[in-house]
């Protein structure tokens, strides 16, 4: 049998925003004997920045969505406290910057009509779907398909924007209803992840911006999770074994759908079925560095669209002029099937495809990109996708089942947030909620253990009370006791182990 490397009250698997916020919640409530096991060599999870073209770019989460409403977005509050540099983004103008393959921009009226037609079609289809228990499977399948049947390049482009960006969630979108409709791009050299480091530094020992606390274990790939009524045992790829009373599992839903972590005993069927029903969105931001700028910039020009016969083919573009003036960087976003296709090919092939698209839009004489950065979230075994994406019409029981604990295993992450799944603030709030539930469990267990100890100590307390007898009474009483009691009272027999 493997000997444990450590024993703690709670193990947190994953040091993304949910894992860190859950661990912080535990520490704030007096539960400090924790261990955070992170598979990679850094904290942050799908919040990750990298130096590219002389600036910091966000490979994963890049925006703080939901700002300017009556209620304050908690991540926006963290950003303000840390002085995080951001830029306002306005997607609404993108539909009026749609280029065809000859480099012409579609007239605004044509674009507006196509957009309205696509929205009306989507809404009509949703209204016609009857949600009842007998048709849930049929409805969920229909809701994952594009809401209309676009045929022309502009219809395909608008359908991509509408379905993959603006209406990929249940309407109305809780993030915008609760926190406001404005979105801000993170443009800070420290990266979006600095918010997580700020949180971690509040309960983990750190120095010079580095976390030095042994309770954070990096490069610990969890492969097996054993659980019983008495506790949990976690085994990592490097042969280490960790034991605890509880575990908080904050890995992505994509990892839960993979075979990275095995459970012993296996998770119940209701849990695995719910996990499989959740869609995983693959969202790839490809960064291209150029020797000089050749694209339009200025007000209402940050985003532009390429209309192609193939849906989602290098459709959605953004320049980084607002975030980093003079950086000469373009970003193109791919999703799902196109993301997986590009991840499987070389960066050189991707560069060639992207340049052909840009030359369609801006002419054959534009310069070739000097560098390219292609994140690979789908092929990353520690992520297996970018974020969860529940169908437009979904059974709330699916989210509840994914969130529900199994014995001493608690699940958290943006995919467990019923209102804010897919967002950084969803992961942040989910971690806090899960942390509070585990705190309550730990405290109740301590109370039960304390009551049990008091019950066992009562015979000893009663027995020690009899030692206040006078010498004469004690000697007289001793003569009436049985032999074991006589030995105990005379000091020749130790305190029974059961009482200790």
């Amino acid at each position: 049998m493997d000997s444990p490397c450590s024993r703690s009250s709670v193990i947190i698997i994953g040091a993304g925003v949910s894992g860190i916020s859950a661990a912080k919640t535990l520490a704030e409530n007096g539960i400090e004997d924790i261990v955070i096991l992170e598979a990679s060599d850094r904290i942050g999870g799908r919040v990750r920045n990298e130096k590219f073209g002389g600036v910091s770019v966000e490979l994963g989460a890049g925006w703080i969505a939901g700002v300017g409403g009556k209620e304050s977005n908690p991540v926006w509050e963290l950003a303000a406290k840390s002085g995080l540099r951001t830029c306002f983004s306005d997607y609404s103008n993108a539909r009026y910057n749609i280029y065809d393959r000859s480099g012409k921009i579609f007239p605004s009226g044509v674009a507006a009509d196509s957009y309205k037609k696509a929205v009306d079609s989507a809404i009509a289809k949703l209204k016609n779907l009857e949600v009842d228990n007998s048709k849930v499977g049929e409805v969920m399948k229909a809701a994952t398909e594009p809401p209309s049947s676009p045929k022309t390049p502009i219809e395909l482009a608008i359908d991509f924007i509408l379905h993959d960006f603006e209406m990929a969630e249940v309407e109305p979108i809780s993030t915008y209803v609760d926190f406001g409709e404005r979105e801000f791009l993170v443009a800070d050299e420290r990266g979006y992840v600095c918010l997580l480091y700020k949180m971690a530094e509040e309960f983990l020992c750190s120095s010079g911006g580095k976390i030095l606390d042994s309770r954070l274990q990096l490069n610990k790939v969890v492969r097996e999770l054993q659980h019983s009524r008495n506790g949990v045992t976690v085994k990592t790829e490097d042969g280490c074994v960790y034991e605890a009373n509880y575990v908080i599992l904050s890995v992505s839903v994509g990892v839960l759908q993979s075979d990275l972590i095995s459970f012993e005993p296996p998770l119940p069927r209701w849990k695995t079925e719910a996990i499989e029903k959740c869609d995983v969105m693959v969202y790839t931001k490809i960064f291209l560095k150029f020797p000089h700028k050749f694209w339009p910039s200025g007000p209402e020009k940050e985003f532009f669209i390429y209309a192609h016969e193939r849906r989602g083919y290098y459709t959605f573009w953004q320049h980084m002029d607002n975030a980093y003036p003079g950086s000469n960087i373009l970003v193109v976003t791919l999703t799902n099937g196109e993301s997986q296709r590009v991840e499987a090919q070389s960066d050189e092939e991707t560069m060639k495809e992207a340049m052909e698209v840009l030359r369609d839009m801006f002419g054959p004489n534009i310069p070739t990109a000097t560098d390219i950065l292609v994140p690979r979230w789908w092929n990353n075994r520690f992520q297996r996708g970018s974020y969860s994406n529940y169908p437009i019409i979904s059974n709330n029981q699916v989210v509840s089942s994914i969130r529900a604990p199994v014995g001493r295993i608690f699940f958290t992450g943006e995919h467990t947030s019923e209102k804010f799944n897919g967002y950084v603030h969803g992961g942040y709030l989910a971690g806090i909620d899960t942390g509070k539930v585990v705190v309550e469990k730990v405290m109740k267990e301590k109370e039960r253990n304390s009551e049990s100890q008091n019950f066992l100590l009562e015979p000893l307390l009663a027995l020690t009370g009899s030692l206040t007898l006078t010498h004469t009474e004690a000697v007289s009483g001793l003569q009436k006791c049985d032999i074991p009691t006589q030995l105990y009272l005379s000091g020749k027999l130790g305190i029974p182990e059961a009482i200790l």
Side-chain angles (χ1 to χ4, degrees):
M1 183 182 229
D2 296 322
S3 57
C5 298
S6 71
R7 174 82 195 188
S8 55
S9 288
V10 184
I11 294 171
I12 298 98
I13 300 175
V17 63
S18 295
I20 295 297
S21 64
K24 181 173 178 287
T25 301
L26 293 172
E28 288 174 342
N29 286 274
I31 302 171
E32 298 184 340
D33 57 328
I34 61 175
V35 172
I36 306 171
L37 301 178
E38 167 55 43
S40 70
D41 59 358
R42 61 179 181 83
I43 71 170
R46 287 163 283 168
V47 178
R48 179 185 172 189
N49 67 308
E50 192 168 311
K51 288 291 182 180
F52 177 77
V55 298
S56 175
V57 296
E58 299 295 336
L59 277 63
W63 279 268
I64 301 176
V67 179
K70 294 180 180 179
E71 190 176 341
S72 181
N73 185 321
V75 173
W76 183 247
E77 291 179 353
L78 292 174
K81 192 184 299 183
S82 299
L84 192 74
R85 181 173 174 267
T86 61
C87 298
F88 173 65
S89 289
D90 184 2
Y91 294 101
S92 65
N93 296 302
R95 71 193 69 158
Y96 302 118
N97 298 321
I98 303 178
Y99 290 80
D100 66 17
R101 295 191 67 179
S102 68
K104 295 179 181 178
I105 295 180
F106 284 93
S108 59
V110 173
D113 289 345
S114 297
Y115 189 83
K116 184 177 184 303
K117 178 182 174 183
V119 171
D120 291 344
S121 175
I123 292 173
K125 185 167 184 177
L126 291 175
K127 285 181 178 178
N128 290 333
L129 291 172
E130 295 180 8
V131 184
D132 57 48
N133 292 333
S134 64
K135 294 184 180 179
V136 166
E138 176 186 339
V139 169
M140 290 179 67
K141 180 179 184 299
T144 60
E145 297 173 348
S148 59
S149 300
K151 295 180 177 63
T152 66
I154 189 172
E155 288 175 345
L156 288 163
I158 288 176
D159 179 73
F160 176 79
I161 300 168
L162 181 66
H163 187 67
D164 287 28
F165 290 89
E166 296 184 22
M167 285 184 64
E169 302 173 72
V170 178
E171 293 278 357
I173 299 173
S174 299
T175 287
Y176 303 127
V177 171
D178 289 9
F179 301 132
E181 296 185 354
R182 305 183 82 195
E183 298 190 31
F184 287 82
L185 176 72
V186 175
D188 194 299
E189 290 294 344
R190 296 170 297 171
Y192 206 153
V193 74
C194 78
L195 300 187
L196 275 75
Y197 276 97
K198 292 288 185 183
M199 279 196 288
E201 288 171 359
E202 292 185 28
F203 66 97
L204 294 174
C205 299
S206 61
S207 177
K210 294 184 178 180
I211 300 171
L212 307 175
D213 203 305
S214 61
R215 291 175 294 174
L216 173 64
Q217 299 281 311
L218 301 177
N219 298 305
K220 292 294 181 180
V221 184
V222 172
R223 297 308 305 270
E224 185 177 341
L225 205 166
Q226 299 174 355
H227 55 109
S228 68
R229 293 178 61 186
N230 300 319
V232 294
T233 300
V234 175
K235 296 183 179 181
T236 56
E237 204 164 60
D238 59 1
C240 288
V241 180
Y242 300 83
E243 292 182 347
N245 297 329
Y246 298 94
V247 67
I248 295 177
L249 191 55
S250 72
V251 299
S252 71
V253 72
V255 170
L256 292 177
Q257 291 175 353
S258 75
D259 60 358
L260 182 67
I261 302 175
S262 65
F263 296 85
E264 185 58 42
L267 294 176
R269 186 174 177 180
W270 59 265
K271 170 66 78 172
T272 57
E273 286 183 348
I275 290 170
E276 289 303 319
K277 286 177 181 177
C278 182
D279 294 331
V280 177
M281 189 82 169
V282 190
Y283 187 97
T284 307
K285 292 184 288 185
I286 299 172
F287 298 85
L288 295 158
K289 170 75 174 178
F290 292 89
H292 60 81
K293 182 174 71 173
F294 55 83
W295 51 87
S297 60
E300 304 179 354
K301 297 294 184 181
E302 181 179 0
F303 302 96
F304 53 96
I305 293 164
Y306 176 64
H308 191 271
E309 292 80 4
R310 192 159 105 198
R311 185 182 184 277
Y313 186 77
Y314 295 93
T315 302
F316 196 81
W317 292 81
Q318 175 189 7
H319 67 65
M320 298 289 286
D321 299 345
N322 294 350
Y324 295 111
S327 61
N328 299 329
I329 294 174
L330 288 179
V331 189
V332 59
T333 300
L334 308 183
T335 62
N336 298 334
E338 283 296 309
S339 290
Q340 294 175 35
R341 182 186 68 80
V342 163
E343 282 196 22
Q345 69 186 20
S346 68
D347 288 357
E348 290 75 18
E349 184 63 28
T350 302
M351 169 92 81
K352 180 182 176 183
E353 292 177 350
M355 287 308 307
E356 288 174 353
V357 167
L358 286 171
R359 286 182 172 129
D360 279 350
M361 287 190 283
F362 301 111
N365 298 322
I366 63 171
T368 300
T370 56
D371 201 3
I372 186 171
L373 177 59
V374 184
R376 286 174 166 80
W377 294 106
W378 176 250
N379 285 314
N380 184 332
R381 66 178 181 144
F382 305 147
Q383 307 297 343
R384 298 299 294 166
S386 302
Y387 54 88
S388 65
N389 186 38
Y390 289 95
I392 291 176
I393 295 181
S394 180
N395 185 349
N396 290 339
Q397 186 58 46
V398 174
V399 188
S400 299
S401 295
I402 289 178
R403 184 174 57 239
V406 175
R408 291 175 176 267
I409 305 173
F410 289 80
F411 297 79
T412 196
E414 50 85 11
H415 55 281
T416 69
S417 174
E418 189 169 350
K419 292 180 70 178
F420 308 122
N421 63 284
Y423 292 95
V424 174
H425 53 268
Y428 172 75
L429 293 171
I432 293 174
D433 290 343
T434 306
K436 288 179 179 178
V437 172
V438 174
V439 165
E440 188 177 344
K441 290 286 183 181
V442 171
M443 294 306 183
K444 284 184 177 180
E445 191 165 46
K446 283 183 178 179
E447 289 176 8
R448 287 195 300 269
N449 292 339
S450 178
E451 291 172 358
S452 177
Q453 288 176 357
N454 289 337
F455 177 77
L456 291 171
L457 284 171
E458 285 178 2
L460 176 59
L461 294 173
L463 193 57
T464 55
S466 67
L467 298 181
T468 58
L469 297 171
T470 64
H471 176 71
T472 304
E473 290 172 331
V475 171
S476 173
L478 183 60
Q479 293 172 348
K480 297 177 183 179
C481 293
D482 55 26
I483 297 299
T485 305
Q486 290 179 33
L487 290 172
Y488 171 71
L489 292 175
S490 63
K492 295 179 181 180
L493 186 66
I495 298 175
E497 288 186 12
I499 297 178
L500 287 175

